[in-house]
Amino acid sequence: LACELRPGILACTNSGGQAAQLGATRLIDKNGKLVALSRGLFGYVLPNARRQWPLESGYVTTLTAELRLETQLNGQPATVPVTRAP
C-alpha cells in the first residue's frame, strides 16, 4: 500500500493481489501531531487499484512534513509512509 496526500485528498494505491481493508485510521506527522480519519472502517482499496478520500482542506494543514498513516490493515496494525504532493 502506498499513500499520497494532495490538497483535500488522501489517495492510496494497492499494488498487491488482494484487497486492503483499512480500519481505524489516522495521519500523524514527525512531531506526533495527529488527525483521526476514522475510528472504525475507513474503506477498502481493491487489488491493483487506487482509492481516494476527500479531506477538508483545513483538516490536515496543521500537520508538518514526514507524514505517516497508522491504520488497521486487514486487521493488523500497520504504518504507511505518506508522500505529500504539491
Side-chain angles (χ1 to χ4, degrees), residues 3-59:
C3 297
E4 172 183 70
L5 185 66
R6 296 180 171 273
I9 294 175
L10 174 67
C12 293
T13 303
N14 179 0
S15 58
Q18 74 177 56
Q21 179 193 50
L22 281 69
T25 300
R26 59 192 188 169
L27 279 171
I28 303 173
D29 69 13
K30 70 177 180 177
N31 297 321
K33 187 165 185 170
L34 66 90
V35 173
L37 301 177
S38 170
R39 299 185 88 200
L41 179 65
F42 187 57
Y44 290 86
V45 185
L46 298 177
N48 298 305
R50 179 180 172 98
R51 171 92 186 260
Q52 297 185 102
W53 291 270
L55 302 175
E56 292 182 35
S57 58
Y59 210 39

